C-alpha cells in the first residue's frame, strides 16, 4: 500500500530531490554511524566521534588515519539498488539532484551526475602544503600510515568535512537551491541529527515529502509518506 503510494508520487513528480545519509550505503556493506552496529558504537581506543574531528587530525594524524583508512575508506563497496534507482530516475529526467551526507562516492559510481556531497568525499585528497590532488587508492595504499605528498612531503588530508570544520559554500548553495525548487523531496537513510546538513530539508516547499528510513526520525511527523524499511529494497519495487 505504501509502495503504491510512493509509485504514484514518483509517477506524478518531475523534479525530485533525494536527500540521504549513511543508511543509503548500509546495503552496500558500509556501516552507518548511529545504528547498533554503526561506527559510533565501535569499541575503539578513542571515541570515533572524537577521531573524525579537525583537532584530532591535527594532533594525532597517525591515529586518525589508522581509523579512517580501516573503517571509512570502503573502496571495495559497490553501489546498491538505491544508488542505481536514483541514477535511472535522473536519466529519465525526473530527478534533479542527489544531496548526500555520504563520502563514499557510491552515487557517482552508480551513475548519478548531479550529486552534492555535503560532507565531502574520500575520493578527493589534497596535500596540506602544496594542494596537489591524490585519489583514494593513493591514500589507502600509502606505505606510511600518514599519506605524504610525493612532491613536497606535506601531509595529505581527505576533502572530508571533519567535526569543527565548515561545509563548502558552493555545495551548500547548490543543495539548498535544489531542495527549494523541487516538487518532491525523498529523505532516506539518515538520522537527521547532524547540523547544518539536516536543516537544509527545511527549505523544501514542494508537494510531497517522502521519508524512507529503518528507524523513526524527527521529520516523520511532517512527511506525507513514511516508510520504515530498507531504502534499496523499497526503491527497487518502484517502476520507472
Ligand atoms: P546515521 O548513522 O546517523 O543514521 C543512519 C540512519 O539510516 C539511521 O536512522 C538508520 O536507522 C538508517 N538506516 C540504516 N540502514 C538503512 C537502510 N538500509 N535503509 C533505510 N534506513 C537505514 O547516519 P547519517 O544520518 O548519515 O558526518 O549521519 C550524518 C553524519 O553523521 C554523517 O555524514 C557523518 C556523521 O558524523 C561526517 O562524517 C562529517
Ligand atoms: Zn605537496
Amino acid at each position: 500500500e505504501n509502495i503504491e503510494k510512493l509509485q504514484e508520487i514518483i509517477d506524478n513528480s518531475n523534479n525530485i530531490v533525494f536527500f540521504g545519509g549513511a543508511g543509503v550505503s548500509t546495503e552496500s556493506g558500509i556501516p552507518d554511524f548511529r545504528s547498533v552496529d554503526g561506527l559510533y558504537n565501535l569499541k575503539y581506543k578513542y571515541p570515533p566521534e572524537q577521531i573524525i574531528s579537525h583537532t584530532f587530525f591535527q594532533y594525532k594524524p597517525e591515529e586518525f588515519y589508522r581509523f579512517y583508512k580501516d573503517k571509512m575508506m570502503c573502496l571495495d563497496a559497490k553501489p546498491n539498488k538505491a544508488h542505481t534507482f536514483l541514477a535511472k530516475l535522473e536519466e529519465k529526467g525526473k530527478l534533479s539532484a542527489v544531496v548526500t551526507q555520504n563520502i563514499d562516492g557510491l552515487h557517482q559510481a552508480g551513475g548519478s551526475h548531479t550529486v552534492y556531497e555535503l560532507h565531502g568525499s574520500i575520493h578527493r585528497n589534497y596535500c596540506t602544503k602544496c594542494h596537489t590532488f591524490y585519489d583514494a587508492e593513493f591514500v589507502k595504499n600509502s606505505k606510511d600510515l600518514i599519506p605524504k605528498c610525493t612532491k613536497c612531503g606535506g601531509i595529505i588530508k581527505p576533502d572530508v568535512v571533519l567535526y569543527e570544520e565548515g561545509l563548502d559554500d558552493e555545495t551548500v548553495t547548490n543543495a539548498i537551491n535544489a531542495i527549494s525548487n523541487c516538487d518532491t523531496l525523498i529523505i532516506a537513510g539518515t538520522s537527521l541529527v547532524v547540523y547544518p546538513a539536516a536543516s537544509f530539508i527545511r527549505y523544501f516547499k514542494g508537494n510531497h515529502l517522502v521519508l524512507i528510513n529503518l528507524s523513526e526520525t524527527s521529520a516523520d511527523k511532517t512527511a506525507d509518506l513514511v516508510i520504515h524499511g530498507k531504502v534499496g529494497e523499497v526503491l527497487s519495487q518502484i517502476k520507472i
Side-chain angles (χ1 to χ4, degrees):
E1 185 206 0
N2 272 342
I3 298 291
E4 276 169 34
K5 197 168 171 202
L6 179 58
Q7 179 77 57
E8 196 186 313
I9 290 174
I10 289 177
D11 286 345
N12 293 316
S13 307
N14 47 42
N15 185 353
I16 300 169
V17 166
F18 181 89
F19 181 93
V24 175
S25 291
T26 53
E27 287 164 90
S28 293
I30 301 178
D32 66 10
F33 296 92
R34 294 174 182 82
S35 294
V36 279
D37 53 357
L39 289 186
Y40 291 162
N41 290 312
L42 275 179
K43 291 232 159 36
Y44 208 79
K45 194 164 151 196
Y46 301 92
E49 262 181 292
Q50 189 184 322
I51 296 176
I52 52 178
S53 68
H54 184 83
T55 308
F56 198 93
F57 179 84
Q58 265 190 317
Y59 292 101
K60 293 193 188 301
E62 193 155 333
E63 291 295 341
F64 170 88
Y65 270 116
R66 197 189 307 281
F67 179 85
Y68 175 80
K69 286 189 191 182
D70 184 33
K71 306 292 180 193
M72 297 177 75
M73 295 193 86
C74 306
L75 299 186
D76 295 329
K78 300 273 180 292
N80 64 48
K81 287 170 179 171
H83 300 106
T84 53
F85 173 85
L86 294 167
K88 211 166 132 194
L89 210 56
E90 180 183 42
E91 193 190 299
K92 301 266 178 197
K94 290 175 79 69
L95 179 135
S96 55
V98 169
V99 179
T100 183
Q101 299 164 83
N102 298 347
I103 58 174
D104 53 38
L106 288 184
H107 285 292
Q108 292 92 331
S112 285
H113 296 283
T114 304
V115 182
Y116 301 129
E117 298 172 305
L118 296 174
H119 292 159
S121 173
I122 60 168
H123 296 286
R124 295 186 300 267
N125 306 274
Y126 298 96
C127 170
T128 49
K129 278 194 189 152
C130 75
H131 303 290
T132 298
F133 172 90
Y134 291 92
D135 65 14
E137 285 71 21
F138 182 93
V139 168
K140 178 107 176 180
N141 302 325
S142 65
K143 272 194 216 75
D144 297 331
L145 200 43
I146 304 174
K148 301 264 173 64
C149 179
T150 53
K151 291 188 182 152
C152 80
I155 292 182
I156 295 168
K157 184 180 180 294
D159 184 13
V160 162
V161 180
L162 303 176
Y163 282 104
E164 305 154 354
E165 293 177 346
L167 277 54
D168 176 66
D169 282 340
E170 194 182 324
T171 309
V172 168
T173 303
N174 287 335
I176 290 176
N177 277 338
I179 293 169
S180 311
N181 293 316
C182 69
D183 56 9
T184 295
L185 180 65
I186 304 175
I187 301 171
T190 174
S191 58
L192 294 175
V193 299
V194 170
Y195 284 79
S199 69
F200 301 153
I201 63 170
R202 292 191 203 135
Y203 288 89
F204 176 65
K205 49 182 193 297
N207 295 323
H208 302 288
L209 183 63
V210 177
L211 222 142
I212 309 168
N213 207 65
L214 274 181
S215 54
E216 279 180 29
T217 75
S218 58
D220 284 18
K221 54 187 181 300
T222 52
D224 300 290
L225 175 61
V226 179
I227 302 179
H228 287 144
K230 292 191 176 182
V231 57
E233 273 178 22
V234 169
L235 291 179
S236 64
Q237 294 175 65
I238 303 298
K239 295 173 204 66
I240 46 168

